Amino acid sequence: QISIGFDNRKAIKPLAEKIIELGHKNIGFISAPIAENDRASDRVEGVRSVMQASGLNPDDLKLIETPYSIDNGQAAFNTLMSERTPPTVVICGNDVFSVGAVKAAKARGYKVPKDISITGFDDIELAKVIEPALTTVHVPHRRMGKLAAQMLVDMIHNRKPQSRELDTSVKFRDTLGPPRPQ
């Protein structure tokens, strides 16, 4: 099977490592439903593997699965923050959930990242325009599209296409900080 893409598990690890390095131990995660979505599942597993490697119990990850929308991100954030011991950071499996989470945090009177850190995944345009600007995993969408188009051209001309794994990077902006002292 030929593909152009990136490793979701590997892509989220540097973000999770930074979150734990900052001192976060109580971590929430808003994800798309993982049963039928290997990308969403790999992102959750990437965070759990970093928790395990850092001496945290990966079973302590507070996971909420919900369909893709800003409103669902907002509702999931409110559910996480209603727990007896709410998380100090909420990792969102995509930037759309993050926008909802930031909106919900502001509605609750939280300052991001002073009171709660929120991160995303994808680095879509929304990540740069939301206030505060979103810390997120940058995915090379345009490059993936160009390479996929080139792959199709190669196939049309009977040239053997090559699979490519692209690099991602974390865009550290303004929504991630250390946990608030208890």
Side-chain angles (χ1 to χ4, degrees), residues 12 16 41 60 63 81 102 116 146 178 180:
I12 205 163
S41 174
D60 289 343
L63 175 65
M81 299 315 287
V102 169
I116 181 78
K146 284 180 184 171
R180 187 183 186 124

Side-chain angles (χ1 to χ4, degrees), residues 41-80:
S41 174
D42 284 350
R43 292 172 193 180
V44 170
E45 289 312 309
V47 171
R48 284 190 169 132
S49 70
V50 170
M51 289 175 74
Q52 176 96 47
S54 302
L56 300 176
N57 183 347
D59 295 334
D60 289 343
L61 181 67
K62 293 178 168 81
L63 175 65
I64 294 188
E65 297 177 54
T66 187
Y68 183 86
S69 78
I70 290 173
D71 288 346
N72 288 343
Q74 197 169 352
F77 179 87
N78 283 327
T79 299
L80 285 169

Side-chain angles (χ1 to χ4, degrees), residues 79-104:
T79 299
L80 285 169
M81 299 315 287
S82 298
E83 295 211 1
R84 203 179 72 216
T85 54
T88 59
V89 60
V90 175
I91 301 169
C92 297
N94 60 61
D95 291 345
V96 169
F97 287 153
S98 300
V99 169
V102 169
K103 189 175 171 190

Side-chain angles (χ1 to χ4, degrees), residues 99-170:
V99 169
V102 169
K103 189 175 171 190
K106 288 179 177 180
R108 286 175 161 260
Y110 295 144
K111 294 200 178 349
V112 179
K114 187 175 160 219
D115 300 322
I116 181 78
S117 289
I118 298 169
T119 68
F121 195 106
D122 286 327
D123 197 23
I124 61 175
E125 289 296 313
L126 276 175
K128 296 176 199 117
V129 298
I130 190 172
E131 276 295 319
L134 187 65
T135 292
T136 186
V137 176
H138 173 77
V139 173
H141 298 105
R142 283 193 172 82
R143 185 144 188 264
M144 275 194 309
K146 284 180 184 171
L147 289 170
Q150 183 60 54
M151 180 184 281
L152 288 172
V153 170
D154 287 347
M155 291 167 81
I156 289 167
H157 291 98
N158 292 319
R159 292 189 293 258
K160 187 170 178 358
Q162 300 282 327
S163 286
R164 298 278 300 272
E165 183 179 316
L166 304 180
D167 291 328
T168 57
S169 59
V170 180

